[in-house]
Amino acid sequence: MSEANANIFKAIDAERRGTTFQEVVSQLREMIHRGELRPGDRLPPERDLAKRLGVSRPTLRAGISSLAAVGVLQPRRGAGTFVVEAEGPPALDSNALRLMASLQRFTPAEMFEARRSLEMAIAALAAERATGEQMAEMSEEITGMFASLDEPEQFLVHDMRFHQTVAAASGNRILTALMNMVATILFEVRSKTVRRARDLKESAEMHRSIYRAIRDRDPEAARNAMRDHLMLAQKAQEQEEAMEQLGE
């Protein structure tokens, strides 16, 4: 294990900065591919890394969470975030799906349907396989959601991290990677409209229902709770996009 040299982290180009957390994901991936970040390296502390990359801390956390979900990075309580050494889930880049969505004109309904199919199966597996530590992480993210009901962008970060933790708890690396690939695109879209969200408390409560079903080791209840939540999420996103277009 070694500390990554902080001087290798460069600010994201001004023209690219501030769009989405995906720029953080791209930059860290490129550094790993070039060998600037190696297996076992520890990233600088969050405050320092956000400053060096020129992004907000919530944006950095979302990017790190995305890479953690596909097994590229591993946050360790009290120790920091590390580049994964062992085998993790296959890291499927969402750029290919994004290109297909553009060329084939995938509809939001199709994307949500794909996400529901994946995450309902994932929730059922998580109810069977989640560890105590993973359930504690889910609980922490739900607490974060309730604490950020008046901060939609921060709420969305906790939302994403909750789903990534559930995916990891499924114990299936392929499902985890596929879910993250689809969810990343939907997250990017939602991040542009979530400030218009009307009732985040209902969403937080539905996440809590998913967590309780997983905690109770009830696969069917977890599957149904995930379905209900994602149906609500689809409806909420459609309403936010409509308001965005109307400029309300």
Side-chain angles (χ1 to χ4, degrees):
M1 179 183 73
S2 62
E3 184 83 35
N5 181 356
N7 293 325
I8 67 176
F9 297 93
K10 307 299 182 185
I12 292 171
D13 292 343
E15 292 182 359
R16 300 166 58 191
R17 189 187 310 157
T19 52
T20 69
F21 72 95
Q22 192 64 29
E23 297 302 342
V24 173
V25 172
S26 297
Q27 181 136 326
L28 294 178
R29 275 187 183 278
E30 289 167 9
M31 294 177 71
I32 292 170
H33 291 159
R34 291 195 299 262
E36 296 170 351
L37 284 173
R38 290 173 288 194
D41 280 354
R42 180 170 57 191
L43 301 186
E46 180 183 281
R47 185 188 299 274
D48 295 344
L49 184 54
K51 184 176 180 180
R52 287 183 176 276
L53 294 179
V55 300
S56 68
R57 293 174 73 178
T59 296
L60 176 64
R61 286 188 209 115
I64 288 175
S65 293
S66 179
L67 289 172
V70 294
V72 176
L73 297 179
Q74 182 183 45
R76 300 177 191 168
R77 251 177 239 276
T81 300
F82 297 80
V83 180
V84 168
E85 294 182 89
E87 294 183 2
L92 301 181
D93 197 326
S94 61
N95 287 332
L97 184 59
R98 191 177 291 107
L99 177 60
M100 288 176 63
S102 176
L103 293 175
Q104 302 295 332
R105 300 183 185 277
F106 292 167
T107 66
E110 288 176 312
M111 295 291 285
F112 264 104
E113 185 174 56
R115 184 183 178 190
R116 276 199 308 276
S117 297
L118 289 167
E119 291 212 59
M120 286 169 65
I122 282 170
L125 288 172
E128 297 174 351
R129 301 172 178 174
T131 65
E133 182 177 358
Q134 287 167 332
M135 285 190 275
E137 290 173 9
M138 292 177 211
S139 180
E140 286 181 12
E141 297 305 336
I142 291 169
T143 299
M145 287 182 216
F146 278 102
S148 56
L149 293 176
D150 296 324
E151 302 174 81
E153 291 84 358
Q154 185 59 37
F155 182 98
L156 192 58
V157 171
H158 289 296
D159 185 328
M160 175 183 171
R161 289 164 68 174
F162 174 86
H163 285 274
Q164 290 171 331
T165 304
V166 173
S170 75
N172 188 304
R173 295 176 297 153
I174 297 174
L175 284 175
T176 297
L178 288 171
M179 184 283 294
N180 193 69
M181 184 170 60
V182 175
T184 292
I185 296 174
L186 291 171
F187 179 94
E188 289 179 8
V189 174
R190 185 85 193 275
S191 66
K192 298 173 185 176
T193 64
V194 71
R195 67 184 182 280
R196 300 184 183 277
R198 293 288 179 87
D199 189 3
L200 292 176
K201 185 177 180 181
E202 183 178 9
S203 177
E205 289 171 346
M206 296 188 88
H207 282 90
R208 184 160 57 189
S209 295
I210 296 167
Y211 161 72
R212 285 174 173 168
I214 292 172
R215 182 195 61 190
D216 294 342
R217 303 295 186 188
D218 189 333
E220 192 61 28
R223 180 189 293 273
N224 292 337
M226 182 64 78
R227 179 201 60 214
D228 293 345
H229 160 58
L230 292 178
M231 293 293 288
L232 176 70
Q234 180 177 358
K235 183 178 179 181
Q237 186 163 316
E238 290 170 351
Q239 291 174 340
E240 290 162 18
E241 289 174 354
M243 287 189 290
E244 187 81 7
Q245 291 172 1
L246 292 172
E248 294 182 2

